[in-house]
Amino acid sequence: MLKPLALRAARLVESGLERIGDRSDDDPVLDPYLGYATPEGLVLRGRVLTHLRRAEPDAEQSKWMNLRQMANLFITDEVQGVTVEGGGASGLSDAEGYVRLTVAGDFDPGWATVQCAIPGQDPVAFHARVPAPDAEYMLISDIDDTMIETGAHSLARNLWTTFTGSALTRQAHDDAIALVESMTDGTRHPIFYVSSSPWNLHDFLEDLFRHEGVPRGPMFLRDLGITEEGVGASHGTHKGRAIDAILAANPDLDAYLMGDSGQKDAIVYRDAVRRHPGRIRGVALREPAPGVGDDDANAIAEIEADGVPCYHGPDFTGARRHWGLE
């Protein structure tokens, strides 16, 4: 929890960064995020900005050019109070520019598309994942050091990798892709991604996943706006809330959780197991260097004691066997 003086100072810095790229005279534009289905309909998510910021990767460009492009993604210029309409629904952008619409109706399994627009502008395609009617479960996975090589257990390495890499140079873990592909069975079982990465990186991660062949799924990323908790919600708080939201959106589907021990995912997942008894079928945790700490080891033991198989190792090759699926 930030103290009042620190909170005021942080908000001054935030507003200053926003003014760097302010183009308030421009017409606002829509930045769509991947949505998902609930029993009530499709949840479409996006953000209203003065203009879109995109990184255009080039495999030959320098790390410093990557750094410049990535830093540019973090200077957002959001617009509040803009109406967005689509599929018979409407939403109003909040103070950080985020907008959310719930579109009622029956939609075919797979990726549903709804055209949304700011009144008076051309529509933009919003996509949402609809589970197959014969889906038996879903996957919920972390991203950094779980699907993508990052070094998130080391703050310095994480920042360097994040800011100097591009969608063409960052690499996915082949064992993670293999596990997800075997578990999703094409488009039958959906996958959702929870990460402490900011929403500013949504388009970047989409490009990276596409380039590396990572199965596509709705992402639950983090708002970096200044709150009384600090800069956005804490890592554990954000991931826990995201898991709760995904389970609530899919009341008929149990979940397998994938993560790593470098960012205390074992503790976050243990707490999720206890909040949702009977809904978590298994947990798998990658162990990046320097390995599992005492807190994670205790959480892993507690997950197993609660009757949920928890695989952990340097890769995910033994996860299905540990879950009793082989």
Side-chain angles (χ1 to χ4, degrees):
M1 182 75 69
L2 284 180
K3 295 182 179 180
L5 182 60
L7 180 61
R8 287 196 297 272
R11 283 178 172 157
L12 284 173
V13 172
E14 179 187 33
S15 63
L17 287 173
E18 289 169 353
R19 285 195 296 272
I20 291 174
D22 183 31
R23 293 166 59 174
S24 54
D25 293 336
D26 294 347
D27 290 333
V29 295
L30 278 175
D31 189 15
Y33 303 146
L34 296 180
Y36 56 95
T38 74
E40 289 73 40
L42 300 182
V43 175
L44 306 180
R45 305 172 299 171
R47 203 173 191 185
V48 181
L49 305 169
T50 59
H51 65 290
L52 296 180
R53 294 180 181 273
R54 294 285 187 262
E56 298 179 2
D58 182 339
E60 301 301 320
Q61 71 188 23
S62 69
K63 289 183 180 294
W64 298 111
M65 180 58 71
N66 290 339
L67 175 62
R68 180 179 177 181
Q69 289 184 345
M70 290 299 293
N72 189 53
L73 296 179
F74 284 79
I75 304 174
T76 59
D77 34 18
E78 57 274 359
V79 186
Q80 181 179 11
V82 174
T83 298
V84 178
E85 301 174 340
S90 66
L92 194 68
S93 61
D94 66 15
E96 295 294 329
Y98 297 107
V99 65
R100 176 186 176 110
L101 293 77
T102 300
V103 178
D106 294 324
F107 299 89
D108 293 334
W111 287 98
T113 301
V114 178
Q115 298 294 328
C116 298
I118 297 170
Q121 297 187 9
D122 292 335
V124 175
F126 278 59
H127 305 287
R129 179 69 164 88
V130 181
D134 62 342
E136 297 177 355
Y137 56 80
M138 59 185 167
L139 273 74
I140 302 175
S141 177
D142 175 48
I143 295 178
D144 291 325
D145 280 331
T146 300
M147 299 300 304
I148 304 296
E149 296 180 13
T150 303
H153 58 277
S154 166
L155 178 59
R157 181 181 172 189
N158 185 13
L159 291 173
W160 177 255
T161 302
T162 296
F163 279 93
T164 63
S166 76
L168 301 181
T169 62
R170 298 283 297 277
Q171 293 183 320
H173 289 290
D174 291 339
D175 58 284
I177 295 176
L179 175 59
V180 171
E181 287 180 340
S182 69
M183 293 295 293
T184 53
D185 189 19
T187 60
R188 182 183 179 193
H189 303 116
I191 182 168
F192 301 85
Y193 295 99
V194 297
S195 171
S196 292
S197 292
W199 283 106
N200 308 60
L201 295 184
H202 185 278
D203 184 73
F204 171 83
L205 290 171
E206 271 270 272
D207 287 344
L208 173 58
F209 278 23
R210 188 181 305 112
H211 180 260
E212 288 292 290
V214 177
R216 196 183 193 201
M219 299 179 192
F220 288 71
L221 306 180
R222 184 163 61 157
D223 175 28
L224 287 185
I226 304 300
T227 71
E228 292 185 359
E229 292 184 61
V231 182
S234 69
H235 170 81
T237 299
H238 163 70
K239 281 192 174 181
R241 289 174 180 171
I243 292 169
D244 293 347
I246 295 167
L247 289 169
N250 298 273
D252 296 328
L253 296 179
D254 296 338
Y256 289 93
L257 307 180
M258 294 173 57
D260 67 87
S261 62
Q263 289 188 294
K264 306 301 182 182
D265 285 346
I267 297 169
V268 175
Y269 292 173
R270 175 204 62 197
D271 294 344
V273 166
R274 292 178 173 176
R275 287 196 307 275
H276 304 279
R279 294 291 307 277
I280 309 301
R281 294 192 181 187
V283 174
L285 298 167
R286 184 188 304 281
E287 296 179 2
V292 177
D294 291 341
D295 290 345
D296 288 305
N298 291 335
I300 289 170
E302 290 169 344
I303 291 172
E304 291 273 358
D306 286 338
V308 176
C310 182
Y311 171 82
H312 55 101
D315 55 47
F316 290 125
T317 55
R320 285 179 58 91
R321 186 179 308 110
H322 192 81
W323 289 342
L325 300 178
E326 291 183 352

